[in-house]
Amino acid sequence: MIEHDPVEHLIGLLAKLPGLGRRSARRAVLRMLMQPEQAMLPLAAALRDAAAAVRRCRLCGNLDARDPCGICRDPNRDHGVICVVEGVAELWALERAHAHRGLYHVLGGTLSALGGIGPEDLAVQPLLARIAEGGVEEVILALPATVDGATTAHYLTDRLKPAGVPVTRLAQGVPMGGALDVLDEGTLAAALKARRAV
Amino acid sequence: MEWQAPAIVLDARPLGESGAVVSLLTEAHGRHAGLARAGTSRAQASLWQRGNLVEVRWVARLPDQLGSLTGELVHPAAALAMEDPLALALLSAACAVADGALPEREAHPRSFQGLLSLIARLPGGAAPLLPDYIRWEAELLAELGYGLDLGRCAVTGGTEDLVWVSPRTGRAVSAAAGEPWAARLLPLPGLLLGQGGAVGPSGPAEWLAGLRLTGHFLGKDAFGHQHKPLPAARERLFDRVAALAGADPVPAERGSDA
């Protein structure tokens, strides 16, 4: 019988997380084991607290300790604008940019013909229900600039059309600080196609 | 082992944190997969988008290994189609059909050339390409050994007034001979008759009939024999064309089975 080694077990669990391989996990575990009182036990307590407290917001699908989440409860935000994102990571990225002061809706993925993800696997019905409740003046589609992302955006545009709510999507093109000669041809083609008068 | 060739990206599935297993269609090597290291990274994600034409280099130690891929973009078809829902639906459907129906590592140069031609002309608008797309699907069926016999009537042997196709045999039936079974036969659009598309202009109703016809046989034969349904992307194209035609979208594989 293989003896249970708690250190190896911990390294194995950490190595499954994104951004960490076994080597990085081993370094992190070693650092924690050197100072268990300062680094390990507070981390264990924080992990336990987060696992117990954090849940999905029933309105937008965000992860937060409160339900509805802090964004949905914030009276200072524009409740008439909903920004549709693929996942919570994209929601957090937009929040870091401080560019959107409205609400969000997490779809939980994008349509993927080859990955077998259909509309029923995404939070499309909850989005339609939110819009049917009224008060929504604009829906922003902030979906990835991929074939699956664009397919999902076109699908949502079709589904939202009967509601009569204006639907917009994020622009595609040259990133801030991006020199044209280092951009990939796909981005350049999209940017050129979406050019506008100045 | 290694080769270099122009290839159309059919699919890219994430592998690990940043890798991707990419499925390609080439002229000489057919549908071929390979591992693109960092294929989903920020630098490469736009390269391995479905429909893009890429100059690919495949390297492996042994011929039966997955091998690794590197590539350089030749034509950004995905980026050019993203704004147009019909173009994107056509591109996704073509890639999904080729990826699901064509056997791996078996050269099908006519399917490659047909798809290449569609991709090259897509920026000019998707609607005028729909007849060519339907003919490409019929050609694909023929390459796979499930070709439709649309030259003469299966009942009378006549070559005139062919308006139906038997959903069981894939053979054409004339208007008079097929009349008693009209409800069970599939309509044969004019765009599938004639040589090289030398037929008159067609509209959404004909495109819909064409997609229903080829979709039925793709679902029954090319995908049915693998116990797989028609790809969802193909169904979405059908639904989009049905909306253009103002018809109730009925999935193609639900056709009559007489």
Side-chain angles (χ1 to χ4, degrees):
Chain A
M1 186 176 161
I2 299 168
E3 197 175 329
H4 178 68
D5 183 343
V7 175
E8 280 303 315
H9 182 58
L10 185 55
I11 291 171
L13 287 177
L14 285 177
K16 287 180 185 168
L17 298 176
L20 287 178
R22 272 197 88 77
R23 188 183 290 262
S24 318
R26 194 174 291 118
R27 285 176 61 200
V29 168
L30 184 61
R31 172 62 65 89
M32 287 192 285
L33 287 172
M34 299 297 278
Q35 300 172 305
E37 297 292 333
Q38 288 83 29
M40 202 165 204
L41 296 180
L43 178 66
L47 286 172
R48 191 178 297 276
D49 289 350
V54 175
R55 65 202 70 191
R56 222 165 251 292
C57 172
R58 81 180 94 110
L59 296 178
C60 70
N62 186 18
L63 292 173
D64 200 283
R66 293 172 296 175
D67 182 18
C69 69
I71 294 172
C72 290
R73 293 154 73 110
D74 188 346
N76 296 320
R77 299 188 79 109
D78 185 350
H79 286 234
V81 182
I82 295 179
C83 181
V84 179
V85 291
E86 181 186 4
V88 176
E90 287 75 17
L91 187 158
W92 289 354
L94 282 165
E95 279 299 283
R96 282 199 303 274
H98 302 292
H100 175 60
R101 294 305 299 160
L103 303 183
Y104 292 93
H105 188 85
V106 177
L107 268 188
T110 51
L111 294 175
S112 174
L114 299 159
I117 300 172
E120 65 283 355
D121 301 312
L122 305 177
V124 176
Q125 282 305 330
L127 174 65
L128 296 174
R130 282 178 83 180
I131 291 164
E133 282 173 12
V136 179
E137 291 154 10
E138 183 184 356
V139 174
I140 304 168
L141 302 178
L143 295 168
T146 60
V147 170
D148 288 342
T151 303
T152 310
H154 292 314
Y155 173 80
L156 286 177
T157 306
D158 289 345
R159 292 295 305 269
L160 296 172
K161 207 174 278 174
V165 179
V167 181
T168 57
R169 65 156 183 77
L170 297 189
Q172 286 169 21
V174 184
M176 284 297 290
L180 293 189
D181 61 338
V182 295
L183 278 186
D184 65 275
E185 293 85 343
T187 305
L188 271 176
L192 206 61
K193 210 170 177 188
R195 68 187 182 279
R196 62 182 181 192
V198 290
Chain B
M1 294 294 302
E2 72 174 84
W3 51 257
Q4 186 166 339
I8 298 163
V9 179
L10 300 179
D11 185 30
R13 292 163 201 266
L15 183 77
E17 270 191 47
S18 61
V21 175
V22 181
S23 176
L24 304 158
L25 184 63
T26 66
E27 187 166 24
H29 307 280
R31 185 168 69 86
H32 205 295
L35 172 66
R37 291 180 203 285
T40 55
S41 67
R42 201 180 299 174
Q44 284 194 49
S46 68
L47 175 69
W48 304 114
Q49 288 297 309
R50 221 170 293 145
N52 278 351
L53 181 66
V54 180
E55 181 72 20
V56 162
R57 185 163 174 263
W58 178 84
V59 181
R61 197 167 58 80
L62 299 169
D64 56 353
Q65 288 177 328
L66 177 64
S68 62
L69 289 171
T70 51
E72 200 165 308
L73 192 62
V74 176
H75 177 64
L80 294 171
M82 271 186 199
E83 292 290 304
D84 179 356
L86 187 61
L88 193 66
L90 193 150
L91 187 69
S92 296
C95 290
V97 166
D99 194 45
L102 288 171
E104 218 171 339
R105 300 196 183 191
E106 193 178 291
H108 288 281
R110 282 161 69 188
S111 289
F112 173 80
Q113 287 296 344
L115 186 53
L116 188 65
S117 165
L118 286 171
I119 285 170
R121 291 180 290 145
L122 206 51
L129 287 186
L130 276 164
D132 287 341
Y133 173 76
I134 294 159
R135 284 190 280 268
W136 175 77
E137 282 193 343
E139 190 72 45
L140 184 90
L141 280 166
E143 278 216 68
L144 293 172
Y146 307 118
L148 306 177
D149 181 3
L150 307 179
R152 58 182 63 245
C153 176
V155 181
T156 64
T159 57
E160 297 296 315
D161 209 15
L162 302 173
V163 295
W164 309 106
V165 175
S166 162
R168 204 151 53 94
T169 63
R171 297 178 69 187
V173 182
S174 65
E179 202 181 349
W181 300 281
R184 295 160 73 182
L185 296 172
L186 294 166
L188 170 60
L191 61 90
L192 280 173
L193 296 170
Q195 294 295 313
V199 289
S202 56
E206 273 211 298
W207 306 337
L208 193 64
L211 287 174
R212 186 172 281 138
L213 181 65
T214 51
H216 172 81
F217 289 102
L218 282 170
K220 182 170 86 75
D221 297 327
F223 285 86
H225 285 177
Q226 302 178 56
H227 306 287
K228 290 195 295 193
L230 263 185
R234 173 59 168 74
E235 303 226 9
R236 275 199 282 275
L237 174 65
F238 183 86
D239 289 349
R240 203 158 276 286
V241 175
L244 276 180
D248 188 26
V250 180
E253 77 270 27
R254 275 190 231 151
S256 166
D257 201 24

